[in-house]
Amino acid sequence: MPNMTEKLTSTILSAIGGKTTLSVPSLYIGLFLTPGTDYYPGREPSDSAYERQTVALSSPQPADDNPGCMIVTNTKDIIFPAASSSWGRLPYYGIFSGGVPVTLLFTGELDTPLTVNRWDTAIIPAGRLKIRMG
């Protein structure tokens, strides 16, 4: 289950309290070799071909296994560029805002870690990335 960063928690609570508005123009996903924290993303591949990809999320729905939880999933395949060097085993991810400054919103662990060798393309199929709250 992903972890909401302290920055996102604070922003949501400020918006609920009427102190600020919440607007995220676009979302990006990064793949991590190491887990992220509230303040820092995990270590991303150092390959020059690697770059974070945009991600579109579904509308919130009750989770099948717990109707008290809400879940969003990726609506389309997330396809990273072909690796020009091995990225290794990537069990973790982070979701970033696309605004300025870029803000880490969530960190989590993939259900199935990706292993990316040279010339491989990392793909997270539609519906496989799940962000749960509740």
Side-chain angles (χ1 to χ4, degrees):
M1 180 146 100
N3 300 309
M4 189 177 346
T5 62
E6 188 173 302
K7 174 69 174 168
L8 180 56
T9 302
S10 176
T11 301
I12 290 171
L13 292 174
S14 292
I16 290 169
K19 306 289 186 228
T20 187
T21 59
L22 178 60
S23 174
V24 179
S26 54
L27 296 173
Y28 291 84
I29 184 169
L31 299 174
F32 300 156
L33 297 154
T34 59
T37 69
D38 265 3
Y39 300 102
Y40 299 102
R43 187 167 56 91
E44 293 177 88
S46 59
D47 182 5
S48 62
Y50 170 82
E51 64 181 298
R52 296 174 186 160
Q53 297 298 302
T54 58
V55 60
L57 298 174
S58 66
S59 296
Q61 301 291 324
D64 291 338
D65 61 343
N66 183 348
C69 286
M70 298 299 285
I71 188 169
V72 294
T73 62
N74 56 313
T75 58
K76 299 186 293 186
D77 290 352
I78 302 167
I79 303 170
F80 287 81
S84 60
S85 65
S86 176
W87 297 356
R89 186 171 182 272
L90 301 155
Y92 307 102
Y93 70 91
I95 303 292
F96 298 84
S97 70
V100 176
V102 172
T103 303
L104 179 62
L105 304 173
F106 289 96
T107 62
E109 192 166 350
L110 296 167
D111 288 341
T112 304
L114 299 171
T115 298
V116 180
N117 297 305
R118 187 174 189 198
W119 308 126
D120 286 351
T121 300
I123 299 173
I124 301 172
R128 278 292 191 59
L129 179 70
K130 297 178 176 95
I131 300 174
R132 300 167 58 111
M133 293 182 72

